[in-house]
Amino acid sequence: MPRAHNVSIEIEYETFGSRGDPALICIPGHGSQLLSYPVELCQAFVDRGFFVIRMDNRDAGLSSMSGDDDPYTLDDMADDVVAVLDHASVGEAVVLGVSMGGMIAQATAIRYPERTRALVSIMSTTGERDVGAPTLEAWDALTAPPEDSIEAQIEADVRAGRIWSNPDWFDPETLGSFLAAKYQRAWNPGGSERQMKAIMASGDRVAGLSELAIPALVIHGGLDTLIAPSGGARTAELISDSRYLLIEEMSHDFVPQAWPAVVEAVTALAADAFGPLR
């Protein structure tokens, strides 16, 4: 796979579709890898007329790992996104992110509005402490220290997934198989903790979101226990040219049951931004 460079940081990414189509770059969430956008989902976007880019954030997957003495912020991670666009020879894109990826997508739109044709923020929030707060159980699971083996980490992640998933959608066997593939590809103990420090060091994005003048789509799950729906509602409130989609059955689980509604909404947003897609 190609690797983009942001000074000393290397970012792994992969592309799907035709470079002549409107670009959609997909940013993973906290501790996640580009695998969180499965090939089937990427292909669904390609079939709608997108050139799709999925990437590993720093401190995850096959991208560069940072040291504990080398702190960074969401703005630095937004710079990584633009480094990928540069390396892929993409001038502007629909910038999409899930959870922490939505925070990075917001930061990208604020820092680089000329590179962001439209913004898609999924089950994310603004950085304000009084919106989007998790339940205590979800927060404890999110911030638990890494396990000392892949097997133990998979077990812990499945337990955590049960906390912030719709129980009717939760499939522990499928999740366990996905996690095994994820950790076989890359095992990054400590990376999630550094990413969390980046979130906490970045403050809120209220002023920047309020000044955005690009089309935006904000999607949230009505059952989300990790980032409460108030985070998504507040994001949409701050962006003047935004639309808000609440998927009542979705929690903090970006699983196939949610994909059709997401693909439809993103395609409609892109059609407004770029004109009709094929």
Side-chain angles (χ1 to χ4, degrees):
M1 292 184 193
R3 293 172 71 86
H5 295 259
N6 177 16
V7 193
S8 62
I9 297 295
E10 295 186 0
I11 302 295
E12 187 88 359
Y13 72 95
E14 186 176 14
T15 65
F16 302 84
S18 170
R19 291 181 178 274
D21 288 334
L24 171 69
I25 187 165
C26 300
I27 309 168
H30 173 253
S32 297
Q33 302 180 22
L34 55 75
L35 297 180
S36 61
Y37 298 96
V39 171
E40 296 82 0
L41 177 59
C42 293
Q43 188 59 51
F45 281 120
V46 169
D47 291 344
R48 291 305 187 94
F50 289 100
F51 172 61
V52 178
I53 305 169
R54 63 177 186 174
M55 58 177 282
D56 287 329
N57 292 316
R58 64 172 72 188
D59 270 329
L62 301 179
S63 290
S64 293
M65 300 295 289
S66 300
D68 291 335
D69 58 350
D70 186 21
Y72 54 90
T73 67
L74 295 174
D75 283 349
D76 296 311
M77 300 178 86
D79 295 344
D80 296 340
V81 173
V82 172
V84 171
L85 295 179
D86 288 343
H87 195 268
S89 299
V90 170
E92 57 183 359
V94 176
V95 180
L96 179 153
V98 170
S99 194
M100 182 190 75
M103 303 174 197
I104 300 168
Q106 294 170 25
T108 303
I110 292 166
R111 287 172 66 79
Y112 300 98
E114 75 283 0
R115 307 296 296 274
T116 308
R117 190 65 175 262
L119 167 66
V120 182
S121 179
I122 302 176
M123 54 194 189
S124 194
T125 187
T126 63
E128 297 168 278
R129 298 293 180 248
D130 58 345
V131 297
T135 64
L136 181 59
E137 184 182 24
W139 176 254
D140 287 345
L142 178 69
T143 57
E147 301 292 339
D148 57 7
S149 71
I150 290 175
E151 293 75 16
Q153 190 64 59
I154 290 172
E155 291 179 2
D157 288 352
V158 170
R159 289 194 301 271
R162 193 181 299 275
I163 293 169
W164 53 64
S165 296
N166 177 339
D168 293 333
W169 290 2
F170 184 66
D171 182 347
E173 292 185 2
T174 298
L175 177 58
S177 296
F178 168 78
L179 292 167
K182 168 185 169 181
Y183 292 130
Q184 183 178 14
R185 178 175 181 261
W187 169 238
N188 310 117
S192 294
E193 292 176 307
R194 290 188 290 273
Q195 290 181 347
M196 180 57 69
K197 290 178 181 178
I199 294 172
M200 302 306 291
S202 295
D204 69 62
R205 293 169 292 285
V206 171
L209 292 171
S210 299
E211 294 172 0
L212 283 181
I214 59 173
L217 169 65
V218 180
I219 301 175
H220 219 97
L223 304 177
D224 200 329
T225 58
L226 187 57
I227 298 180
S230 59
R234 175 62 169 162
T235 305
E237 176 188 349
L238 289 170
I239 304 172
S240 60
D241 188 8
S242 68
R243 59 195 73 175
Y244 183 50
L245 172 62
L246 183 70
I247 302 177
E248 296 286 356
E249 302 85 359
M250 187 171 76
S251 183
H252 209 80
D253 41 4
F254 194 51
V255 292
Q257 292 92 326
W259 295 351
V262 171
V263 171
E264 289 293 334
V266 173
T267 301
L269 177 75
D272 290 345
F274 288 100
L277 281 69
R278 60 177 171 82

